[in-house]
Amino acid sequence: MKVLVIGSGGREHALVWKIAQSPLVEKIYCAPGNPGIGRIAENIDIKVDDLPRLLEFARRENIGLTVVGPELPLSLGVVDLFEEYGLTIFGARRNAAVIEASKAFAKDLMKKYHVPTAAYEVFTEVEPALAFIDRLGTPIVVKADGLAAGKGVIIAQTRGEAVTAVTEMLTGNAFGAAGARVVIEEFLRGEEASFLAFTDGKNIVPLASAQDHKAVFDGDQGPNTGGMGAYSPAPVVTPAIHEKTMTEVMRRTVDGMAAEGRPYRGVLYAGLMIDGGNIKTLEFNARFGDPECQPLLMRMKSDIVPILLAVAKGDISGMEIEWFEKAAVCVVMAAQGYPGEYRKGDEIAGLEEAAKMEDLSVFHAGTALKGDKFVTSGGRVLGVTAMGNTVKEAIERAYRGVSAITWCGVHYRKDIGKKALGKQ
Ligand code: AMP
Ligand code: GLY
């Protein structure tokens, strides 16, 4: 079978890497892909939002399975379009992907179906928003409604910061249409985890637990990024938390979406805040998390292709996923300046040395080829992902890979996985 993966980040490199191990697959294409992906798949120069060309390519090449990585094509309706033409595609339809594309939709859904989440209200006008800020007090969280690449969330420590955030989102143009509505919510304390599950709209099969590291600097300091590293399993997701999440978050959400006439098919990602035995849902994503996807797929023992096919065809009943009883850790290596303006075009050294290391993969996210040399071309450049018998061993292995690689201005967190140590 021929497979097409849509996207160009570390998540897509990990997906292509895992799909390539399936005996069912004869050829993989990736649109648009990246130079790392290009070593195992054929990159096709089509952008993720160019739906007509993606469709034309998939039909012409007789693609048996298309896998969508990022949220943008999902929220543009790539799944609906491919299905209209009888193609098999893994991902949420447009009316289900709204669970990520609109935070206001997600919050209203959670309220209606009793999914635990922070107290909130949605605003389109500044005055009532300010009154709500005064009522809730600080710290308080202000979120742009629409897709904002992980940058539309402001944790305001003071009233002044909250007022500035709300005013800028509702009246400025920094967030464009994404900021036309804001969600203001209660600030939650605790430890975050990423809970992902496959669903066909009815049955739910969870993936292994994972934890992301959103802040750019060690100790969770500095602005939020798309994710600076991740590991799996996450001990904060105890068996009791797992059960609670399955019944109170996943089951209620999947049933709620079906009841709304928006059956959810694909991978559903809940961002959780865990505080003792309590869970609250911070957000939903309609896709695999990145970088979480990298350690998760490294730990997946089962062939992923039959799973993706079953989800895409709408029946995962009886499906089971096997996992390696090991830990995996991904350390993101980023360009200087990320998540703000960042350097580009720096030559990356050490990739060959890292490639020789055992139980380690270097997934490319923002790289380009200049002649025969790899250079940086994105904010998150590489995801160095390693597996070990324990989190400690996986951390050591991943950082051994990281220390083999360098470029001018490279930045990475030194504490990925630290929260899991001592909890195992
Ligand atoms: P979101 O895109 O809604 O998940 O928000 C991005 C990040 O902001 C989360 O991963 C948390 O680190 C933080 N965050 C979001 N909502 C809250 C909240 N209500 N309380 C505390 N932190 C939050
Ligand atoms: N790593 C968080 C996300 O993919 O949204």
Side-chain angles (χ1 to χ4, degrees):
M1 184 183 24
K2 291 188 194 173
V3 176
L4 167 66
V5 175
I6 299 175
S8 63
R11 165 181 50 213
E12 288 76 22
H13 192 175
L15 280 164
V16 166
W17 172 85
K18 182 70 185 157
I19 291 167
Q21 294 166 29
S22 172
L24 299 170
V25 173
E26 64 188 84
K27 169 125 197 173
I28 311 176
Y29 297 95
C30 191
N34 67 40
I37 293 174
R39 297 214 156 165
I40 36 178
E42 185 176 332
N43 289 333
I44 305 297
D45 189 19
I46 306 178
K47 293 204 170 66
V48 302
D49 60 354
D50 191 346
L51 272 42
R53 286 189 62 214
L54 289 169
L55 175 69
E56 191 260 333
F57 177 81
R59 294 185 74 199
R60 190 178 68 227
E61 291 299 329
N62 200 17
I63 299 294
L65 171 67
T66 300
V67 183
V68 188
E71 61 273 26
L72 181 60
L74 295 172
S75 58
L76 292 174
V78 70
V79 173
D80 310 57
L81 180 68
F82 274 48
E83 286 181 345
E84 227 174 88
Y85 285 86
L87 294 165
T88 303
I89 180 164
F90 174 91
R93 290 187 191 146
R94 176 160 43 184
N95 73 356
V98 68
I99 202 165
E100 170 169 7
S102 168
K103 288 186 187 291
F105 171 87
K107 293 293 290 192
D108 291 346
L109 182 94
M110 288 192 261
K111 190 189 226 173
K112 186 165 172 187
Y113 294 97
H114 310 289
V115 176
T117 191
Y120 76 102
E121 273 186 37
V122 181
F123 298 94
T124 52
E125 305 288 338
V126 175
E127 286 304 317
L130 299 188
F132 186 65
I133 290 169
D134 288 334
R135 199 150 58 147
L136 231 55
T138 53
I140 193 167
V141 185
V142 181
K143 302 183 176 185
D145 178 46
L147 295 176
K151 290 164 198 157
V153 175
I154 308 288
I155 314 275
Q157 298 298 337
T158 63
R159 182 179 189 276
E161 280 168 33
V163 172
T164 306
V166 166
T167 317
E168 273 180 8
M169 284 184 195
L170 288 179
T171 60
N173 52 13
F175 293 90
R181 279 199 292 184
V182 296
V183 172
I184 302 181
E185 68 178 32
E186 159 200 15
F187 175 78
L188 299 173
R189 286 167 219 281
E191 188 173 337
E192 287 181 55
S194 306
F195 196 104
L196 285 82
F198 290 115
T199 171
D200 55 11
K202 217 164 81 191
N203 302 288
I204 305 169
V205 178
L207 278 74
S209 59
Q211 189 177 62
D212 188 11
H213 299 65
K214 290 217 162 79
V216 71
F217 300 124
D218 287 14
D220 295 333
Q221 300 298 305
N224 269 350
T225 68
M228 293 299 294
Y231 63 87
S232 170
V236 67
V237 183
T238 59
I241 293 289
H242 177 96
E243 281 313 308
K244 207 172 159 97
T245 306
M246 282 298 283
T247 46
E248 294 181 10
V249 180
M250 291 302 183
R251 175 47 63 202
R252 289 177 193 171
T253 302
V254 168
D255 289 352
M257 289 296 279
E260 294 293 306
R262 300 171 184 272
Y264 192 100
R265 186 186 283 183
V267 59
L268 179 64
Y269 164 146
L272 303 177
M273 186 69 92
I274 301 167
D275 189 10
N278 288 320
I279 46 170
K280 294 251 166 96
T281 312
L282 291 172
E283 62 161 349
F284 287 109
N285 293 316
R287 51 174 174 80
F288 290 104
D290 193 8
E292 293 94 320
C293 189
Q294 303 177 44
L296 281 172
L297 294 190
M298 195 167 266
R299 286 194 58 219
M300 190 183 281
K301 193 171 174 189
S302 305
D303 183 348
I304 195 171
V305 174
I307 301 172
L308 298 173
L309 280 171
V311 176
K313 290 183 173 156
D315 185 6
I316 61 166
S317 49
M319 189 177 90
E320 275 176 35
I321 307 174
E322 275 193 277
W323 301 91
F324 290 113
E325 292 293 322
K326 293 187 174 205
V329 171
C330 167
V331 179
V332 169
M333 300 181 76
Q336 184 182 322
Y338 176 74
E341 286 281 311
Y342 52 81
R343 284 178 65 102
K344 273 189 193 174
D346 292 298
E347 189 178 326
I348 304 170
L351 284 169
E352 255 133 60
E353 197 187 328
K356 290 185 209 137
M357 296 181 179
E358 214 185 312
D359 278 335
L360 180 133
S361 287
V362 179
F363 295 120
H364 290 223
T367 65
L369 273 176
K370 200 164 150 193
D372 59 352
K373 303 233 181 332
F374 288 101
V375 297
T376 64
S377 78
R380 292 191 289 178
V381 178
L382 301 171
V384 180
T385 309
M387 196 152 71
N389 289 320
T390 59
V391 179
K392 186 164 177 284
E393 206 177 288
I395 292 172
E396 284 165 6
R397 218 166 255 172
Y399 278 104
R400 219 175 297 143
V402 167
S403 53
I405 301 169
T406 192
W407 64 82
C408 183
V410 60
H411 167 70
Y412 56 89
R413 278 181 61 161
K414 320 277 185 296
D415 63 348
I416 303 301
K418 208 169 162 186
K419 282 195 202 120
L421 295 175
K423 272 198 208 136
Q424 276 194 313

